[in-house]
Amino acid sequence: MSDIRVGLVGYGTAGAFFHAPLIHATPGLALAAVVTRNPARQAEVAAKYGATGVGDVEALWERCDLVVVASPNRTHVSTATAALARGLPVVVDKPLARTAEEGRELVRLAKERGLMLTVFHNRRWDGDYRTVRRLAGEGRLGEVLRFESRFERWRPEPKGGWREAGGSDEVGGLLYDLGSHLVDQALQLLGPATRVYCESDVRRAGVAADDDTFVALAHAGGARSHLWMSSMAARSGPRFRVLGSAGAFVKYGMDVQEERLRAGAAPGMPGFGDDEESRWGQLGTEHDHRTVLTEPGAYLDFYRGVEAALREGAAPPVDPESAVDTLAVIEAARLSATQGIVVHLG
């Protein structure tokens, strides 16, 4: 059976460090073409993956069976719409769209055309988050009361680029970027949110989009999520602190997979997603706790799921309607931050 030819739109951070190596490592998928105008990047994709570099998306359609959209956020909807209109299934990097309504329109178009649409919420396959889900599912925490989750960095000097310099038209800032992961994880763990409160600030000179944001969610089941994302955290808090009626789980340090992808490690190598023992989390109470092995991270499972969806008609690895739910919360958070109110969701 021939490989599914994948066309990748964009070869910046998302395309080069995440999508391209994961696609290349997935049996049944072959990176066939990459949209990038940069000659050095075109040479790189040819040398590393045997892929053809093309200058625009119009040169992509006839070269692929699946389109992966990893271009700047403002282009996600237009590029995905164009691919679906040409009868091609689509993977869209997060965020799916700028608004929930734009996301719903993409979902509607994919259903109308009978095409797969999924969203790269890869942090569902972080080892630390998989550990939280396992502990909660096994009842080790009792009833989960509060979910605290952080993506904090110390970057007092802006890196530049559209994520920091652009406003809402660029779909930039940490709420859309890291917040997409944090909100998605909270909703997957604890279910729908009914109320949203947000504090969002721009702390650094020369930056136009939020770089220090906090979101609080009240979930329909009674639990609460407190989510932090910041570029101005000189000292990081725990990646997770999950409080339950029977105990707590506390974990420091980020999932290892991004670091290893950036270092050029092959995602299919043994131990790729294994956490270091020194960073395993603690489960229990203040005076009675023990170390818990971190579940292996499994980013490859996303593209394995894509391959199964296209070959076998399996459900896509991320239901795009769940990505729309995340966008609805982000929209509510933006409104909350602007008006200083708690926003109620229907």
Side-chain angles (χ1 to χ4, degrees):
M1 188 179 297
S2 60
D3 287 340
I4 295 167
R5 301 172 302 159
V6 182
L8 174 60
V9 183
Y11 199 68
T13 297
F17 293 124
F18 288 90
H19 294 281
L22 292 171
I23 292 165
H24 184 66
T26 303
L29 301 182
L31 188 60
V34 178
V35 178
T36 175
R37 294 187 178 91
N38 186 305
R41 292 177 179 179
Q42 290 184 347
E44 180 179 324
V45 299
K48 290 180 71 171
Y49 305 113
T52 301
V54 298
D56 58 64
V57 294
E58 294 301 323
L60 188 70
W61 312 129
E62 301 302 321
R63 301 173 184 268
C64 64
D65 310 302
L66 166 68
V67 173
V68 175
V69 181
S71 47
N73 291 352
R74 69 179 185 277
T75 67
H76 286 186
V77 171
S78 59
T79 305
T81 299
L84 291 168
R86 286 165 174 79
L88 293 166
V90 180
V91 172
V92 184
D93 205 312
K94 59 78 198 164
L96 173 61
R98 184 175 62 88
T99 67
E101 185 54 40
E102 289 180 350
R104 291 187 194 100
E105 182 59 25
L106 281 177
V107 173
R108 184 201 62 78
L109 179 60
K111 288 182 177 180
E112 180 182 277
R113 298 283 178 137
L115 296 168
M116 186 204 72
L117 171 67
T118 192
V119 185
F120 189 62
H121 276 296
N122 60 302
R123 296 291 181 174
R124 295 186 188 184
W125 288 270
D126 277 2
D128 46 21
Y129 180 65
R130 296 183 72 213
T131 305
V132 169
R133 295 206 68 170
R134 176 174 63 81
L135 294 174
E138 291 173 351
R140 307 279 291 283
L141 296 163
E143 178 188 358
V144 175
L145 306 174
R146 181 179 297 167
F147 175 63
E148 298 179 4
S149 178
R150 293 171 173 83
F151 277 166
E152 295 179 322
R153 298 165 173 169
W154 176 235
R155 291 180 179 171
E157 297 299 324
K159 296 174 64 177
W162 61 267
R163 294 182 190 277
E164 294 179 336
S168 61
D169 290 344
E170 294 283 350
V171 200
L174 291 188
L175 182 56
Y176 275 115
D177 185 18
L178 303 180
S180 292
H181 292 309
L182 297 177
V183 171
D184 177 72
Q185 289 180 336
L187 297 182
Q188 291 301 303
L189 181 69
L190 297 171
T194 57
R195 298 190 303 278
V196 181
Y197 170 74
C198 178
E199 300 169 359
S200 188
D201 294 287
V202 179
R203 301 294 192 186
R204 298 171 297 169
V207 172
D210 70 288
D211 59 4
D212 186 19
T213 296
F214 167 75
V215 178
L217 306 179
H219 295 269
R224 295 182 183 270
S225 292
H226 289 174
L227 314 173
W228 289 264
M229 59 221 76
S230 180
S231 296
M232 286 298 293
R235 293 287 300 272
S236 296
R239 172 68 187 90
F240 290 115
R241 190 172 80 127
V242 189
L243 306 180
S245 60
F249 176 71
V250 180
K251 170 77 167 69
Y252 283 83
M254 294 293 294
D255 176 84
V256 298
Q257 293 172 98
E258 177 176 353
E259 176 186 343
R260 289 173 181 168
L261 285 169
R262 286 178 177 271
M269 65 183 290
F272 173 81
D274 293 350
D275 198 14
E276 299 172 8
E277 185 173 353
S278 62
R279 304 202 302 185
W280 291 357
Q282 299 284 322
L283 172 68
T285 64
E286 190 70 28
H287 303 292
D288 183 16
H289 57 267
R290 67 182 185 84
T291 302
V292 175
L293 179 148
T294 306
E295 290 287 312
Y299 286 173
L300 269 179
D301 282 0
F302 176 84
Y303 272 108
R304 289 172 177 148
V306 169
E307 197 269 347
L310 296 177
R311 296 273 192 206
E312 305 163 14
V318 172
D319 182 346
E321 293 188 7
S322 69
V324 173
D325 293 338
T326 293
L327 284 169
V329 171
I330 288 174
E331 279 190 272
R334 292 180 63 210
L335 178 62
S336 171
T338 300
Q339 298 190 5
I341 59 174
V342 173
V343 177
H344 293 257
L345 298 175

